Amino acid sequence: MLSEISDWFWQERLWFPEGLGWADLEDRDGRVYAKARDLWVALPIALVFLIIRQIFERIVATPLASLLGVKDTVRLKAPHNPTLESYYCNITKTPNQSSVASLCKKTGYSERQVQRWFRRRRNQDRPSLLKKFREASWRFTFYLLAFIAGLAALIDVSTTLLPSQYWYYMIELGFYGSLLFSVASDVKRKDFKEQIVHHVATILLISFSWCVNYIRCGTLIMLVHDSSDYLLESAKMFNYAGWRNACNYIFIVFAAVFIVTRLVIFPFWIIYCTWVYPVTIYEPFFGYYFFNGLLMTLQCLHIFWAVLIIRIAIRFLMDDDRSDKDETDESEEEEEEEAGAKKHMKKNGPVQNGHAVHNNNHSKRK
Protein backbone atom coordinates (compact mmCIF):
# COMPACT_ATOMS: atom_id res chain seq x y z
CA MET A 1 0.00 0.00 0.00
CA LEU A 2 2.83 2.41 0.86
CA SER A 3 4.36 1.67 -2.51
CA GLU A 4 1.10 2.56 -4.27
CA ILE A 5 0.80 5.81 -2.31
CA SER A 6 4.40 6.68 -3.16
CA ASP A 7 3.86 5.96 -6.87
CA TRP A 8 0.73 8.12 -6.88
CA PHE A 9 2.40 10.97 -5.00
CA TRP A 10 5.49 11.06 -7.19
CA GLN A 11 3.74 10.67 -10.54
CA GLU A 12 5.39 12.85 -13.15
CA ARG A 13 2.27 14.65 -14.35
CA LEU A 14 1.94 16.27 -10.91
CA TRP A 15 5.45 17.64 -10.53
CA PHE A 16 6.69 18.20 -14.08
CA PRO A 17 5.42 20.01 -17.19
CA GLU A 18 4.40 17.88 -20.11
CA GLY A 19 7.36 16.20 -21.79
CA LEU A 20 9.60 16.13 -18.73
CA GLY A 21 9.93 13.61 -15.88
CA TRP A 22 12.16 12.08 -13.26
CA ALA A 23 14.39 10.56 -15.94
CA ASP A 24 15.54 14.07 -16.85
CA LEU A 25 16.98 14.47 -13.35
CA GLU A 26 19.12 11.33 -13.43
CA ASP A 27 22.87 11.83 -13.12
CA ARG A 28 24.64 11.68 -16.48
CA ASP A 29 27.70 13.06 -18.27
CA GLY A 30 29.24 14.26 -15.02
CA ARG A 31 26.18 16.26 -14.02
CA VAL A 32 24.71 15.52 -10.58
CA TYR A 33 21.12 16.34 -9.62
CA ALA A 34 19.33 16.55 -6.28
CA LYS A 35 17.51 13.41 -5.08
CA ALA A 36 14.37 13.30 -2.95
CA ARG A 37 15.93 10.66 -0.69
CA ASP A 38 18.60 13.18 0.33
CA LEU A 39 15.99 15.01 2.42
CA TRP A 40 16.10 12.30 5.10
CA VAL A 41 19.50 13.69 6.10
CA ALA A 42 17.76 16.79 7.44
CA LEU A 43 16.12 14.83 10.29
CA PRO A 44 19.35 13.89 12.14
CA ILE A 45 20.68 17.38 11.36
CA ALA A 46 17.61 18.88 13.08
CA LEU A 47 18.28 16.74 16.16
CA VAL A 48 21.95 17.77 16.14
CA PHE A 49 20.87 21.41 15.99
CA LEU A 50 18.73 20.91 19.10
CA ILE A 51 21.77 19.57 20.95
CA ILE A 52 24.11 22.27 19.64
CA ARG A 53 21.60 24.91 20.65
CA GLN A 54 21.53 23.72 24.26
CA ILE A 55 25.33 23.78 24.38
CA PHE A 56 25.51 27.19 22.69
CA GLU A 57 22.97 28.78 25.04
CA ARG A 58 24.84 27.56 28.10
CA ILE A 59 28.45 28.09 27.03
CA VAL A 60 28.16 31.14 24.76
CA ALA A 61 24.81 32.91 25.16
CA THR A 62 24.65 32.93 28.97
CA PRO A 63 28.13 34.47 29.50
CA LEU A 64 27.39 36.95 26.70
CA ALA A 65 24.17 37.94 28.45
CA SER A 66 26.08 38.57 31.65
CA LEU A 67 28.68 40.60 29.74
CA LEU A 68 25.97 42.81 28.19
CA GLY A 69 24.23 43.28 31.51
CA VAL A 70 21.06 41.28 30.91
CA LYS A 71 19.27 41.16 34.24
CA ASP A 72 16.17 39.27 35.28
CA THR A 73 13.55 40.70 37.58
CA VAL A 74 12.91 38.50 40.57
CA ARG A 75 9.28 37.47 40.41
CA LEU A 76 7.10 36.71 43.36
CA LYS A 77 5.39 33.32 43.26
CA ALA A 78 1.66 33.03 43.68
CA PRO A 79 0.77 31.16 46.88
CA HIS A 80 -0.53 27.65 46.33
CA ASN A 81 -4.29 27.62 45.91
CA PRO A 82 -5.93 24.61 44.18
CA THR A 83 -9.13 26.52 43.32
CA LEU A 84 -7.39 29.42 41.64
CA GLU A 85 -4.84 27.15 39.99
CA SER A 86 -7.57 25.01 38.48
CA TYR A 87 -9.38 28.10 37.19
CA TYR A 88 -6.14 29.49 35.79
CA CYS A 89 -5.19 26.31 33.92
CA ASN A 90 -8.61 25.18 32.72
CA ILE A 91 -10.70 28.32 32.19
CA THR A 92 -8.81 31.57 31.74
CA LYS A 93 -5.69 33.38 32.91
CA THR A 94 -7.47 36.73 33.03
CA PRO A 95 -10.82 36.44 34.87
CA ASN A 96 -13.39 39.22 34.50
CA GLN A 97 -14.95 41.08 37.40
CA SER A 98 -17.87 38.67 37.89
CA SER A 99 -15.49 35.70 37.87
CA VAL A 100 -13.26 37.41 40.41
CA ALA A 101 -16.25 37.94 42.68
CA SER A 102 -17.18 34.26 42.37
CA LEU A 103 -13.61 33.18 43.15
CA CYS A 104 -13.62 35.43 46.22
CA LYS A 105 -16.56 33.47 47.63
CA LYS A 106 -14.88 30.14 46.92
CA THR A 107 -11.47 31.02 48.36
CA GLY A 108 -12.23 33.62 51.02
CA TYR A 109 -9.79 36.01 49.33
CA SER A 110 -10.58 39.67 48.74
CA GLU A 111 -10.88 40.91 45.15
CA ARG A 112 -7.47 42.54 45.39
CA GLN A 113 -5.90 39.30 46.61
CA VAL A 114 -7.47 37.31 43.76
CA GLN A 115 -6.32 39.84 41.17
CA ARG A 116 -2.82 39.86 42.66
CA TRP A 117 -2.71 36.06 42.63
CA PHE A 118 -3.57 35.90 38.92
CA ARG A 119 -1.07 38.63 38.10
CA ARG A 120 1.71 36.82 39.92
CA ARG A 121 0.69 33.51 38.35
CA ARG A 122 0.82 35.03 34.87
CA ASN A 123 4.25 36.47 35.63
CA GLN A 124 5.47 33.02 36.64
CA ASP A 125 4.64 31.73 33.14
CA ARG A 126 6.28 34.63 31.36
CA PRO A 127 9.73 33.76 29.96
CA SER A 128 12.67 35.48 31.56
CA LEU A 129 14.87 38.03 29.82
CA LEU A 130 17.73 35.57 29.93
CA LYS A 131 15.70 32.94 28.09
CA LYS A 132 14.68 35.47 25.45
CA PHE A 133 18.25 36.67 25.05
CA ARG A 134 19.63 33.16 24.66
CA GLU A 135 17.05 32.29 22.00
CA ALA A 136 17.75 35.51 20.09
CA SER A 137 21.52 35.02 20.22
CA TRP A 138 21.18 31.45 18.89
CA ARG A 139 19.04 32.55 15.95
CA PHE A 140 21.30 35.56 15.30
CA THR A 141 24.35 33.31 15.06
CA PHE A 142 22.69 30.86 12.68
CA TYR A 143 21.06 33.47 10.42
CA LEU A 144 24.31 35.42 10.09
CA LEU A 145 26.33 32.32 9.20
CA ALA A 146 23.55 31.09 6.88
CA PHE A 147 23.47 34.45 5.09
CA ILE A 148 27.22 34.28 4.46
CA ALA A 149 26.90 30.65 3.31
CA GLY A 150 24.04 31.58 0.98
CA LEU A 151 26.14 34.27 -0.68
CA ALA A 152 28.91 31.74 -1.21
CA ALA A 153 26.46 29.17 -2.64
CA LEU A 154 25.16 31.67 -5.22
CA ILE A 155 28.61 32.62 -6.49
CA ASP A 156 29.10 29.37 -8.39
CA VAL A 157 26.84 29.15 -11.43
CA SER A 158 27.66 25.52 -12.19
CA THR A 159 24.81 23.46 -13.66
CA THR A 160 25.65 20.46 -11.53
CA LEU A 161 24.87 20.00 -7.83
CA LEU A 162 27.83 21.02 -5.69
CA PRO A 163 28.67 19.72 -2.19
CA SER A 164 28.37 23.31 -0.86
CA GLN A 165 24.82 23.58 -2.22
CA TYR A 166 23.94 20.17 -0.82
CA TRP A 167 25.05 21.04 2.69
CA TYR A 168 23.58 24.54 2.52
CA TYR A 169 20.19 23.04 1.72
CA MET A 170 20.36 20.27 4.30
CA ILE A 171 21.55 22.58 7.07
CA GLU A 172 18.83 25.16 6.34
CA LEU A 173 16.19 22.44 6.22
CA GLY A 174 17.51 20.89 9.43
CA PHE A 175 17.50 24.26 11.19
CA TYR A 176 13.88 25.03 10.33
CA GLY A 177 13.01 21.49 11.36
CA SER A 178 14.63 22.13 14.75
CA LEU A 179 12.63 25.37 15.11
CA LEU A 180 9.45 23.42 14.47
CA PHE A 181 10.45 20.77 17.05
CA SER A 182 11.27 23.36 19.72
CA VAL A 183 8.38 25.76 19.09
CA ALA A 184 6.44 24.42 22.09
CA SER A 185 9.26 25.27 24.51
CA ASP A 186 10.38 28.54 22.89
CA VAL A 187 9.08 31.96 23.89
CA LYS A 188 5.50 32.20 22.64
CA ARG A 189 4.86 35.47 20.84
CA LYS A 190 1.81 37.24 19.47
CA ASP A 191 2.49 35.90 15.96
CA PHE A 192 2.84 32.31 17.18
CA LYS A 193 0.39 30.92 14.61
CA GLU A 194 1.99 32.90 11.80
CA GLN A 195 5.39 31.54 12.83
CA ILE A 196 4.09 27.98 12.60
CA VAL A 197 2.70 28.63 9.12
CA HIS A 198 6.00 30.23 8.13
CA HIS A 199 8.10 27.28 9.33
CA VAL A 200 5.88 24.71 7.62
CA ALA A 201 5.75 26.67 4.34
CA THR A 202 9.53 27.14 4.42
CA ILE A 203 10.17 23.44 5.00
CA LEU A 204 7.82 22.52 2.15
CA LEU A 205 9.43 25.07 -0.15
CA ILE A 206 12.96 23.89 0.59
CA SER A 207 11.95 20.25 0.17
CA PHE A 208 10.01 20.79 -3.06
CA SER A 209 12.66 22.99 -4.68
CA TRP A 210 15.23 20.31 -3.85
CA CYS A 211 13.19 17.45 -5.28
CA VAL A 212 12.56 19.17 -8.63
CA ASN A 213 16.05 20.69 -8.77
CA TYR A 214 15.08 24.35 -8.32
CA ILE A 215 18.35 24.75 -6.45
CA ARG A 216 19.28 28.30 -7.40
CA CYS A 217 15.74 29.57 -6.91
CA GLY A 218 15.54 27.90 -3.48
CA THR A 219 18.95 29.25 -2.50
CA LEU A 220 17.91 32.77 -3.46
CA ILE A 221 14.70 32.50 -1.43
CA MET A 222 16.59 31.38 1.68
CA LEU A 223 19.20 34.10 1.17
CA VAL A 224 16.53 36.81 0.92
CA HIS A 225 15.03 35.67 4.22
CA ASP A 226 18.33 35.34 6.07
CA SER A 227 19.47 38.80 4.93
CA SER A 228 17.21 40.58 7.43
CA ASP A 229 16.58 37.94 10.10
CA TYR A 230 19.99 38.29 11.76
CA LEU A 231 19.44 42.05 12.07
CA LEU A 232 16.14 41.51 13.88
CA GLU A 233 17.68 39.03 16.31
CA SER A 234 20.60 41.36 17.06
CA ALA A 235 18.12 44.20 17.75
CA LYS A 236 16.29 41.92 20.18
CA MET A 237 19.54 41.07 21.94
CA PHE A 238 20.34 44.75 22.52
CA ASN A 239 16.75 45.37 23.61
CA TYR A 240 16.95 42.68 26.28
CA ALA A 241 20.31 44.10 27.40
CA GLY A 242 18.76 47.56 27.78
CA TRP A 243 20.88 49.14 25.02
CA ARG A 244 17.95 51.16 23.64
CA ASN A 245 19.80 53.38 21.17
CA ALA A 246 21.68 50.46 19.58
CA CYS A 247 18.44 48.50 19.39
CA ASN A 248 16.62 51.41 17.73
CA TYR A 249 19.28 51.98 15.08
CA ILE A 250 19.60 48.31 14.21
CA PHE A 251 15.84 47.91 14.05
CA ILE A 252 15.55 50.80 11.58
CA VAL A 253 18.19 49.14 9.39
CA PHE A 254 16.36 45.83 9.72
CA ALA A 255 13.05 47.45 8.73
CA ALA A 256 14.64 48.94 5.59
CA VAL A 257 16.29 45.64 4.58
CA PHE A 258 13.09 43.71 5.32
CA ILE A 259 10.94 45.98 3.17
CA VAL A 260 13.39 45.93 0.25
CA THR A 261 13.95 42.16 0.31
CA ARG A 262 10.49 40.91 1.29
CA LEU A 263 8.21 43.48 -0.38
CA VAL A 264 10.29 44.33 -3.47
CA ILE A 265 12.84 41.66 -4.39
CA PHE A 266 10.77 38.67 -3.28
CA PRO A 267 7.50 39.48 -5.10
CA PHE A 268 8.76 41.47 -8.11
CA TRP A 269 11.82 39.38 -8.84
CA ILE A 270 11.56 35.88 -7.40
CA ILE A 271 7.79 35.32 -7.63
CA TYR A 272 7.74 37.00 -11.03
CA CYS A 273 10.34 34.52 -12.28
CA THR A 274 8.43 31.53 -10.87
CA TRP A 275 4.88 32.71 -11.71
CA VAL A 276 5.10 34.64 -15.00
CA TYR A 277 8.17 33.34 -16.83
CA PRO A 278 7.49 29.55 -16.70
CA VAL A 279 4.10 29.78 -18.47
CA THR A 280 5.86 31.26 -21.50
CA ILE A 281 7.64 27.92 -21.90
CA TYR A 282 5.34 25.26 -20.40
CA GLU A 283 1.68 24.77 -19.69
CA PRO A 284 0.83 25.22 -15.98
CA PHE A 285 0.86 22.00 -13.92
CA PHE A 286 0.20 21.02 -10.30
CA GLY A 287 3.81 21.53 -9.17
CA TYR A 288 3.73 25.03 -10.66
CA TYR A 289 0.66 25.96 -8.63
CA PHE A 290 1.93 24.20 -5.51
CA PHE A 291 5.30 25.97 -5.54
CA ASN A 292 3.86 29.41 -6.24
CA GLY A 293 1.10 28.85 -3.70
CA LEU A 294 3.75 28.39 -1.01
CA LEU A 295 5.55 31.51 -2.20
CA MET A 296 2.31 33.51 -2.02
CA THR A 297 1.72 32.19 1.50
CA LEU A 298 5.11 33.54 2.53
CA GLN A 299 4.37 36.83 0.81
CA CYS A 300 1.14 37.23 2.78
CA LEU A 301 3.13 36.70 5.97
CA HIS A 302 5.68 39.25 4.77
CA ILE A 303 2.94 41.84 4.35
CA PHE A 304 1.51 41.01 7.79
CA TRP A 305 4.91 41.42 9.46
CA ALA A 306 5.78 44.50 7.39
CA VAL A 307 2.74 46.33 8.79
CA LEU A 308 3.84 45.53 12.35
CA ILE A 309 7.44 46.50 11.61
CA ILE A 310 6.48 49.83 10.04
CA ARG A 311 4.32 50.68 13.06
CA ILE A 312 7.20 49.98 15.43
CA ALA A 313 9.65 51.90 13.21
CA ILE A 314 7.35 54.93 13.22
CA ARG A 315 7.29 54.84 17.03
CA PHE A 316 11.09 54.74 17.02
CA LEU A 317 11.33 57.76 14.73
CA MET A 318 8.80 59.66 16.84
CA ASP A 319 10.75 58.83 20.01
CA ASP A 320 7.65 57.12 21.41
CA ASP A 321 7.74 54.72 24.31
CA ARG A 322 8.05 51.37 22.63
CA SER A 323 7.71 49.07 25.63
CA ASP A 324 6.03 45.84 24.58
CA LYS A 325 4.84 43.51 27.26
CA ASP A 326 5.66 40.55 25.05
CA GLU A 327 9.22 41.76 24.44
CA THR A 328 10.17 43.17 27.83
CA ASP A 329 10.26 41.85 31.32
CA GLU A 330 8.69 44.57 33.41
CA SER A 331 7.26 43.93 36.86
CA GLU A 332 6.78 47.51 37.98
CA GLU A 333 3.33 46.94 39.43
CA GLU A 334 4.59 44.03 41.50
CA GLU A 335 7.59 46.04 42.68
CA GLU A 336 5.39 48.99 43.65
CA GLU A 337 3.07 46.73 45.60
CA GLU A 338 5.97 45.12 47.43
CA ALA A 339 7.50 48.51 48.18
CA GLY A 340 4.14 49.66 49.53
CA ALA A 341 3.81 46.50 51.58
CA LYS A 342 7.26 46.96 53.10
CA LYS A 343 6.50 50.58 53.92
CA HIS A 344 3.21 49.55 55.48
CA MET A 345 4.99 46.86 57.49
CA LYS A 346 7.44 49.35 58.90
CA LYS A 347 4.56 51.52 60.13
CA ASN A 348 2.13 48.83 61.27
CA GLY A 349 4.18 45.70 61.81
CA PRO A 350 4.19 42.44 59.83
CA VAL A 351 1.90 41.97 56.86
CA GLN A 352 0.14 38.91 55.57
CA ASN A 353 -0.99 38.68 51.93
CA GLY A 354 -0.65 42.43 51.63
CA HIS A 355 -2.71 43.22 54.80
CA ALA A 356 -1.38 44.21 58.18
CA VAL A 357 -1.58 41.68 60.98
CA HIS A 358 -3.23 43.47 63.89
CA ASN A 359 -1.78 43.36 67.34
CA ASN A 360 -4.97 41.94 68.79
CA ASN A 361 -4.30 38.72 66.78
CA HIS A 362 -7.30 39.34 64.50
CA SER A 363 -6.08 39.26 60.92
CA LYS A 364 -7.92 39.75 57.66
CA ARG A 365 -9.30 36.51 56.32
CA LYS A 366 -7.44 34.97 53.34
Side-chain angles (χ1 to χ4, degrees):
M1 182 177 179
L2 292 178
S3 177
E4 293 177 355
I5 294 176
S6 177
D7 292 339
W8 174 85
F9 182 80
W10 294 111
Q11 55 185 311
E12 294 178 343
R13 68 183 183 86
L14 290 178
W15 307 112
F16 291 91
E18 186 177 356
L20 297 177
W22 297 110
D24 296 286
L25 296 181
E26 293 179 357
D27 299 343
R28 65 171 66 89
D29 301 327
R31 296 178 64 178
V32 180
Y33 293 95
K35 307 293 188 301
R37 61 177 178 270
D38 296 334
L39 297 177
W40 290 108
V41 177
L43 288 178
I45 291 178
L47 297 178
V48 170
F49 265 126
L50 293 175
I51 297 174
I52 294 176
R53 174 179 173 175
Q54 295 299 317
I55 298 173
F56 176 89
E57 290 186 354
R58 285 176 171 81
I59 297 179
V60 179
T62 300
L64 180 61
S66 177
L67 181 65
L68 293 179
V70 177
K71 298 179 179 179
D72 282 334
T73 302
V74 178
R75 293 172 180 157
L76 300 172
K77 291 185 177 181
H80 178 67
N81 188 298
T83 301
L84 297 181
E85 184 69 24
S86 176
Y87 191 93
Y88 179 88
C89 295
N90 301 321
I91 302 177
T92 180
K93 298 179 181 180
T94 54
N96 55 32
Q97 190 62 36
S98 61
S99 298
V100 170
S102 175
L103 291 171
C104 290
K105 296 178 181 179
K106 294 179 180 179
T107 60
Y109 281 16
S110 66
E111 288 189 5
R112 186 174 181 82
Q113 287 175 312
V114 170
Q115 292 169 347
R116 181 188 298 117
W117 188 97
F118 276 92
R119 183 168 56 253
R120 290 183 177 180
R121 186 63 181 84
R122 287 192 297 269
N123 280 337
Q124 286 179 222
D125 287 347
R126 290 172 60 196
S128 66
L129 276 181
L130 180 59
K131 178 178 175 61
K132 292 180 179 180
F133 181 90
R134 297 197 312 191
E135 286 187 13
S137 61
W138 163 247
R139 290 192 294 265
F140 163 78
T141 302
F142 176 84
Y143 289 139
L144 179 60
L145 295 177
F147 177 66
I148 297 172
L151 289 175
L154 281 176
I155 292 176
D156 198 307
V157 294
S158 175
T159 57
T160 187
L161 179 65
L162 300 174
S164 59
Q165 295 172 327
Y166 171 86
W167 286 110
Y168 177 66
Y169 250 80
M170 295 303 110
I171 290 175
E172 282 273 6
L173 185 57
F175 176 75
Y176 280 102
S178 70
L179 290 183
L180 200 57
F181 293 153
S182 63
V183 70
S185 59
D186 288 345
V187 175
K188 190 172 183 179
R189 306 188 185 279
K190 290 181 179 179
D191 61 349
F192 175 78
K193 294 180 180 179
E194 289 79 7
Q195 286 286 354
I196 295 293
V197 174
H198 175 270
H199 295 340
V200 172
T202 301
I203 290 173
L204 291 176
L205 269 172
I206 296 174
S207 302
F208 177 76
S209 63
W210 178 263
C211 291
V212 296
N213 210 53
Y214 293 171
I215 303 301
R216 293 192 63 78
C217 181
T219 300
L220 186 58
I221 292 172
M222 290 185 286
L223 179 65
V224 164
H225 283 74
D226 293 336
S227 63
S228 60
D229 286 342
Y230 72 89
L231 291 171
L232 174 62
E233 299 304 332
S234 62
K236 289 180 180 180
M237 292 168 63
F238 284 114
N239 179 39
Y240 302 145
W243 296 28
R244 302 299 185 186
N245 289 334
C247 172
N248 291 352
Y249 295 141
I250 294 175
F251 189 88
I252 294 299
V253 175
F254 156 74
V257 174
F258 184 96
I259 291 172
V260 171
T261 56
R262 309 286 184 96
L263 300 186
V264 179
I265 294 178
F266 189 78
F268 296 108
W269 184 9
I270 298 178
I271 295 183
Y272 178 85
C273 292
T274 60
W275 183 267
V276 178
Y277 177 72
V279 295
T280 63
I281 304 175
Y282 304 108
E283 289 292 327
F285 55 102
F286 175 78
Y288 164 83
Y289 292 114
F290 178 77
F291 186 66
N292 284 285
L294 292 174
L295 292 180
M296 293 304 297
T297 299
L298 286 183
Q299 185 57 32
C300 290
L301 292 174
H302 294 165
I303 296 173
F304 169 79
W305 284 319
V307 172
L308 299 181
I309 290 168
I310 291 173
R311 288 177 179 174
I312 297 175
I314 291 174
R315 291 210 302 268
F316 285 164
L317 295 175
M318 295 177 63
D319 293 328
D320 195 7
D321 180 12
R322 60 183 187 79
S323 295
D324 186 339
K325 292 182 179 180
D326 286 339
E327 292 297 331
T328 57
D329 198 32
E330 301 292 340
S331 297
E332 294 180 356
E333 189 173 359
E334 283 291 319
E335 291 175 357
E336 290 175 0
E337 284 191 4
E338 289 305 306
K342 290 179 180 178
K343 184 177 180 180
H344 192 72
M345 181 174 62
K346 289 179 180 179
K347 291 183 177 181
N348 302 293
V351 297
Q352 185 175 20
N353 287 330
H355 299 275
V357 179
H358 302 289
N359 292 330
N360 59 1
N361 292 327
H362 292 289
S363 62
K364 197 171 188 69
R365 234 182 4 162
K366 294 183 182 180

